[in-house]
Amino acid sequence: MKRSLSPTQILAALVALVLTAAINPVPVSAQGFLIEPANPHSLPRWVRRPIVAPPTAPTPYAIQSLEVDATINGGVAKVDVSQTFKNEGSSTIETAFVFPLPYDGAIEAMTLLVNGKEYPAKLLDAKEARSAYEAIVRKNRDPALLEWIGTGMFQTSVFPIPAGETRTVTISYSQLLRTGDGLVEFLFPTGCAKYTSKPIGKTSFNVTIVGDSEIKNVYSPAHDLKIDRNGKNVVKASVVLENKDPGADFRLFFDQSADELTAKVQSYRPDDSKDGFFLMLASPKIEDDEKTPLPKTIILTLDVSGSMMGKKIEQARDSLKYVLERLRDGDKFNIVLFSNDARLYKPELQVASPETRAEALAYASAVRATGGTDIEDALKVSFAQFDQDDSANPKYFVFLSDGEPTVKERNEMKLAELARTENKTKARVFTFGVGHDVHSRLLDRFVRDGRGSGEYVKPEENIEDRVSKLYSRIETPVFSDVSFEFVLKDNPDEKYFTNLVYPSDKTDVFAGEQLVVVGRYSKPGAIKMIASGKVGEKDVKFEFDGELTAKSPDSSYSYVERLWAVRRVGEIVDQLDLNGENKELLDELLNLAKEHGILTPYTSFLADDSVALNDNMSNARIVASNVGTMQARTSDASGFAQRSLKQNYRSTQSLASLDDSASESMELAMSAAPGPVATMGGGMGSMGGGMGSTSGSGMTGGRALLVPRSAAKRAPGTMSAPSAVPETKPIDAIRKIAGKTFYFKEGRWIDASIDEEMEKNQKPIEVAQFGDKYFELVGANGREFSQYLVFSEPVTLNYNGQIYKIDPQK
């Protein structure tokens, strides 16, 4: 059976290289790798993977680098792209270079060089390009390029790449940018090349935005941007990836405004009979160097118990010094060190100045680790310092620890209640849990009640890096206690048309920070967004206009729904973790995880080949069992991993690398858990055994094993011994495409939006892959339909309420 490449196995980059001929012809398959063993049906069902039909020869080239440099000025992007290909085959290949245009009519001019030599090329509009795309798909028997039907194409003449040599392809073009919802969009296609078996060696995007006024929001839904500002009107946004799939298309949104606070909203509502989803971006005015920033009060509380000895205390000491060095004149601060008891640096709050900073740095340099862990006194002493400050300045409590309480009060609930009652000034709480032994659930309680955020630092990670990132974000508060209100212009008395908005509590806005707010809405139309907060002791209010769509015409903004779903899942898991089982929340967690392919330790079993997606009763029992098992883990690697993932979901600003971090955290959480993790077929399952335990049937004591420790990972295009078991992870059996989630079940991809009622009552339309009817449907529905056909395996798809079963031609 032929298999389409997963995101970690395929190149999603600039172009498709269409292999046409060779001096000594080399037959090429779009999927150039194998999976053993020879008889996949001898494997337990839970480790069966889509098996690739043996190609005649492996794909003969690799892409060593992709560099994209763009300058945006006046609504036009001038783009330079450099991409280096290497022929890893034994004979010359002759290739044509195909580049799907970002959107039709957007390209004003385009030139192409191969190793500095210009080659003839042709720009095809959407109608012309469709025939070319279809011809490529028919010839290669691969649907990868179908997602670009409906756009134009840039195609070169044929040029050779001799065996073992490289060719650098350079493209320069000008692109007219689109504007929507007050945001300018730069789009660069990375999802069209499916013809290489290796990730790109290095991928880089560098976008310089030159504005005629202050540039405020700069946002990418699928990539983590590094933002560098050169004054108010110039911003450089960059992303660098090493040996990694670029993933979704590179999309960057930005706006310009001279206002003190700027907000823009995007909305997505695929079904006008249900709630829609919105994303609001808010950014403050860029601070002038000569303007005095708002002062803050910060207490730095550091665990110096014996378990912090060695590298940890050195990094913690450097973290403390990093923050002290960057305190602004006028900030108030103090230091609390705790082990067998809690010790104050100074009895009173210190006001930052060159002299007080120097003295505090000398104190920090002498910090050593010894003794037990007295969290009770650490909380009392720290919060008492805030009581000395009766100003309206923002107040921040930074707490770093690597273990459980061992001195005085040790009860989790009593310590959480102590933190609530002692925090009389409502200081925001930021925690750092260092290493796997930390009491992760206790720290999460501190964060929840303290309206802050939590970070978990792995044993091999650098503590200073994580602390410095947090402090760089909160260094300069601009507005404090900010809340948002949404008003329908046509019906201002309607108060409850938005719901489940995150962040749900009042928040602070910092200089250089971009606040991302997500939520749902039940009524569309023109809206007014009202931001209320404080600047020092002064109340301030800002108003912005926006529009919530009645029905989305396509899936362009589908990421808005998934970003909301991720935040909501983080919130649900937090409530279940801290408050215990709740049937309504468990059911909602199951539905959201299934619909959006969101991995959690509680719902990853949905990716199991033997699990029926619509068996809601059985799946709900498994979720409840898993939550109970995982909730009990508070001070080990499993608890560390699941709460790290939870905090990541609760605070995520974009979808960048979310699946990678989720898969890593979830595997650690599941592999470290000593009890049942996902149960099916054998009831609730009470028999344990590590995650490495396997049996011929894939079950141990009625428990499904999803992530075998012993799985041997193989590089694409290699063979393994017949006895080797291919590595499998839940993420491998899930694909997310433009608002839809597909699960690989028993040899085919299943659209998660097909519910039980549709399964029972509707007869699917059967379509032969690459047949006439297949291309008729593509032609009639365009890219909105064809983007879901990128699988080489059979697929069952729900499109506009109609089920289609697409299978290879017989």
Side-chain angles (χ1 to χ4, degrees), residues 220-242:
S220 175
H223 293 86
D224 281 328
L225 299 177
K226 181 178 183 294
I227 304 293
D228 295 305
R229 294 183 180 270
N230 183 8
K232 297 181 179 181
N233 295 13
V234 179
V235 170
K236 181 180 179 182
S238 58
V239 176
V240 177
L241 304 172
E242 300 280 354

Side-chain angles (χ1 to χ4, degrees), residues 611-758:
V611 172
L613 291 177
N614 290 325
D615 187 355
N616 296 324
M617 187 175 295
S618 296
N619 293 344
R621 287 200 302 266
I622 298 170
V623 172
S625 176
N626 286 347
V627 168
T629 299
M630 300 302 292
Q631 186 186 21
R633 316 311 305 166
T634 59
S635 303
D636 59 10
S638 175
F640 175 98
Q642 64 172 312
R643 293 181 180 93
S644 176
L645 177 61
K646 175 181 69 176
Q647 293 295 346
N648 189 17
Y649 281 171
R650 289 188 68 213
S651 61
T652 187
Q653 301 278 67
S654 74
L655 301 175
S657 305
L658 206 56
D659 286 336
D660 289 343
S661 62
S663 186
E664 180 181 350
S665 295
M666 190 190 64
E667 185 171 353
L668 177 59
M670 295 172 68
S671 63
V677 176
T679 311
M680 59 198 71
M684 294 305 289
S686 59
M687 296 182 66
M691 286 301 293
S693 304
T694 60
S695 68
S697 64
M699 297 288 189
T700 300
R703 171 182 162 213
L705 306 175
L706 296 181
V707 188
R709 288 178 181 169
S710 59
K713 188 171 185 177
R714 296 180 289 106
T718 63
M719 297 286 290
S720 63
S723 60
V725 178
E727 181 185 42
T728 182
K729 296 180 181 180
I731 189 61
D732 293 330
I734 302 173
R735 293 282 298 275
K736 292 174 281 290
I737 302 172
K740 283 186 174 292
T741 300
F742 295 84
Y743 292 82
F744 194 78
K745 301 285 184 181
E746 297 185 328
R748 69 185 307 115
W749 292 98
I750 305 295
D751 186 341
S753 69
I754 299 173
D755 58 27
E756 188 174 10
E757 184 178 351
M758 292 181 70

